[in-house]
Every structure is written in structure tokens, then in C-alpha cells.
Amino acid sequence: GRMKIQKLIRLPEVINRTGYQRSNIYHLMSQDQFPKSVSLGGRAVAWLESEVDSWIQERVDLRDHNEITNIQHSTQG
């Protein structure tokens, strides 16, 4: 099987996509709530675009699920 091409994105792009500051991202990483960065040698790090996109999608799914749950609760009362 042909290797899937993994695109790496740097921290400024991760910040841009998530809206989080660097400190937030590293805090979430330390709590295993954000994809781990990949070392590019030296102090350079990057993230897998696919993992960051998946993380963002999980947040969207969670939001949509919560909104549906909230609507259900409000109509029952």
C-alpha cells in the first residue's frame, strides 16, 4: 500500500486554526487532550495536519451533540 502523504503544519498555523495561544496548546498536550507535536530536529516541531483537523472536527461534533442535547432538554420542560 502506498504511504498516505502526511502534511505537517507549524505552530503559527496550529494557533491560526484552533484559535488557541501557544500556552493553551502545550497545556492541552500535557493533558493528552491535543495531538502531540512531531520533532523535526533541533527545536523545530510541527503537528500532523490530519490530527489537528480531526481534533477540530471532534470539537465541532461535541458542540453539535451538546446543542442537540440542550434543545431536547429545553423542549421537555
Side-chain angles (χ1 to χ4, degrees), residues 62-76:
L62 197 64
R63 180 203 66 184
D64 293 348
H65 172 75
N66 287 341
E67 283 182 0
I68 291 164
T69 306
N70 290 341
I71 290 164
Q72 284 170 345
H73 284 302
S74 62
T75 53
Q76 282 168 0

Side-chain angles (χ1 to χ4, degrees), residues 1-8 48-51 53-54:
R2 195 167 64 82
M3 289 264 305
K4 182 166 166 260
I5 295 166
Q6 295 279 20
K7 186 163 179 252
L8 292 168
L48 283 168
E49 184 180 44
S50 58
E51 290 184 357
D53 284 345
S54 295

Side-chain angles (χ1 to χ4, degrees), residues 2-74:
R2 195 167 64 82
M3 289 264 305
K4 182 166 166 260
I5 295 166
Q6 295 279 20
K7 186 163 179 252
L8 292 168
I9 55 176
R10 303 301 300 273
L11 184 62
E13 179 65 21
V14 176
I15 290 169
N16 189 27
R17 289 188 188 205
T18 61
Y20 280 158
Q21 296 173 320
R22 180 180 186 274
S23 56
N24 290 97
I25 290 163
Y26 278 94
H27 177 70
L28 288 171
M29 275 170 57
S30 71
Q31 301 203 319
D32 289 327
Q33 291 176 17
F34 195 79
K36 291 283 195 287
S37 57
V38 178
S39 174
L40 304 179
R43 285 168 55 191
V45 296
W47 282 257
L48 283 168
E49 184 180 44
S50 58
E51 290 184 357
V52 174
D53 284 345
S54 295
W55 182 87
I56 293 168
Q57 188 58 50
E58 278 172 24
R59 293 294 157 306
V60 173
D61 292 345
L62 197 64
R63 180 203 66 184
D64 293 348
H65 172 75
N66 287 341
E67 283 182 0
I68 291 164
T69 306
N70 290 341
I71 290 164
Q72 284 170 345
H73 284 302
S74 62

